[in-house]
Amino acid sequence: MGIVLSQYSIMKEWLLLSFLLPLFSAGYTLLTKIALHSLTPPSFSMYSLVIALVILSSYNVMNGKKIRVTPLSFVGGLAFGFAIMGLTTGINEAPNPGLAAAIYRTQTILTAIASVFLFGKDLDLQGIVGMVITLAGAYLIATDKKDIVETGIHPGTAKAEKRVLNRDNWFIYPALAGVALTVKDLTGMESLQTGMPASIFATSQLLFAAVVAAIHKYYVDGTLTLEFKKNAHEKEAVTTMTGAAIINSAWVVVAIAAMTMAPNPGYSKALTMGGIIISTIASRFMFGDKLDSRSYGGIAAIVAGTAILVAQKKTGSSSSTI
């Protein structure tokens, strides 16, 4: 009986933590979108990473953990810096931030494939089906054309003209960010397998990610000063950016704990995909971001395909350190 109760307690713990993950994911995406109304993407990327670095460093110090760097955390940090910059740009330019998050998370496919060759992980028929569904969803989103109904060309008339906008290329940024995140995932998996504590790796990678973002910001803006857009709400921007950084820090710790306690680490990551749905729907009401049925279908396919992929019976190939 004691063993049964213990297992039940653990199950409740990882489920509770896992259900926090989609909230963290949606919260980060939405707060980033709000902050980017007033902040330039380079400023947000650099300062949010710096704040997250300070938070996790403090966490490690308070728990008596010595921060150290390794070649793998260096490479992973550089990749994570590019990932955050790409995702930030995608959220800034996408018709709906949920679309950028959806494209970004298709990187699970790359992580799964690379893990088969690098770590000998398994990829069964279920995983392949999940990949195909995910790619189909990404295709629907990336090739979607938005129909815009505009006022007629004659002033004072009620006539409307339907105009189809050309495809834009916003999806390239979160897609490339996903490639960079895969590199971060793979270096993280190798680091954890060699005994490096997850919180130490996360802090070390944040250090190098912040350096990459700082170099990029200086190259683009010519300064490391926090840059605001015209008519910016500066107090709101700083508050929401800080909130996003806090969520990002908590996300790292909770995700690692949930995947460690879960019977299958893929289950926790599958639940994280719910954040895409939350952020997409919330953006409709918060920012007036409208989507057509094609985009909604693409999001649903990506969420479902990724969930199928990471929930393989012999999972591990697609688990992420974040």
Side-chain angles (χ1 to χ4, degrees):
M1 178 64 71
I3 295 177
V4 173
L5 291 176
S6 177
Q7 291 179 338
Y8 177 71
S9 176
I10 292 175
M11 182 181 71
K12 287 199 302 181
E13 285 187 45
W14 82 258
L15 273 175
L16 176 61
L17 293 176
S18 295
F19 278 116
L20 289 176
L21 296 179
L23 300 179
F24 286 159
S25 175
Y28 178 83
T29 300
L30 294 171
L31 287 177
T32 298
K33 180 70 173 181
I34 295 173
L36 289 174
H37 286 157
S38 299
L39 286 170
T40 63
S43 287
F44 177 88
S45 297
M46 172 189 162
Y47 279 90
S48 64
L49 284 170
V50 169
I51 295 172
L53 173 62
V54 171
I55 293 172
L56 273 185
S57 296
S58 301
Y59 169 82
N60 285 314
V61 170
M62 288 188 294
N63 285 276
K65 297 181 179 180
K66 184 178 180 181
I67 301 173
R68 66 180 189 273
V69 299
T70 66
L72 284 175
S73 67
F74 171 74
V75 174
L78 295 182
F80 190 48
F82 285 113
I84 291 297
M85 290 188 293
L87 176 60
T88 300
T89 302
I91 292 175
N92 185 57
E93 298 189 7
N96 184 302
L99 294 180
I103 294 293
Y104 181 62
R105 284 300 171 183
T106 59
Q107 60 83 212
T108 305
I109 295 176
L110 291 177
T111 302
I113 294 175
S115 296
V116 172
F117 297 99
L118 295 177
F119 305 117
K121 301 297 183 180
D122 295 302
L123 183 62
D124 57 21
L125 179 60
Q126 177 182 329
I128 295 174
V129 170
M131 287 182 180
V132 173
I133 295 175
T134 301
L135 288 175
Y139 175 80
L140 289 175
I141 292 175
T143 59
D144 190 18
K145 289 183 176 181
K146 283 82 179 169
D147 293 338
I148 306 297
V149 178
E150 297 183 320
T151 305
I153 57 175
H154 299 292
T157 68
K159 180 181 178 182
E161 180 182 81
K162 194 172 185 181
R163 178 170 64 91
V164 179
L165 295 180
N166 292 328
R167 296 189 189 111
D168 50 23
N169 297 322
W170 64 265
F171 64 89
I172 294 177
Y173 297 104
L176 292 177
V179 174
L181 185 65
T182 295
V183 175
K184 190 277 301 180
D185 277 353
L186 296 174
T187 56
M189 291 167 65
E190 178 64 20
S191 295
L192 296 183
Q193 288 181 8
T194 56
M196 188 175 190
S199 62
I200 298 299
F201 174 80
T203 305
S204 181
Q205 74 168 12
L206 278 172
L207 170 62
F208 295 112
V211 171
V212 169
I215 293 173
H216 175 258
K217 176 172 169 34
Y218 188 81
Y219 175 79
V220 173
D221 297 335
T223 178
L224 294 179
T225 304
L226 191 63
E227 295 286 313
F228 294 94
K229 298 177 181 178
K230 291 182 179 180
N231 303 317
H233 299 284
E234 297 185 4
K235 184 177 180 180
E236 178 188 73
V238 172
T239 301
T240 52
M241 178 184 66
T242 303
I246 293 173
I247 289 176
N248 198 16
S249 303
W251 192 355
V252 173
V253 177
V254 172
I256 293 172
M259 287 191 289
T260 300
M261 290 187 292
N264 184 315
Y267 297 160
S268 295
K269 192 166 186 181
L271 289 173
T272 303
M273 301 301 291
I276 296 175
I277 299 175
I278 296 173
S279 59
T280 301
I281 296 175
S283 295
R284 174 68 179 85
F285 298 98
M286 294 174 63
F287 314 121
D289 295 338
K290 298 180 180 180
L291 296 178
D292 55 22
S293 57
R294 183 185 178 99
S295 291
Y296 279 120
I299 290 174
I302 289 176
V303 172
T306 303
I308 292 172
L309 172 62
V310 301
Q312 297 176 89
K313 291 183 179 180
K314 296 179 180 180
T315 309
S317 59
S318 60
S319 61
S320 169
T321 55
I322 274 190

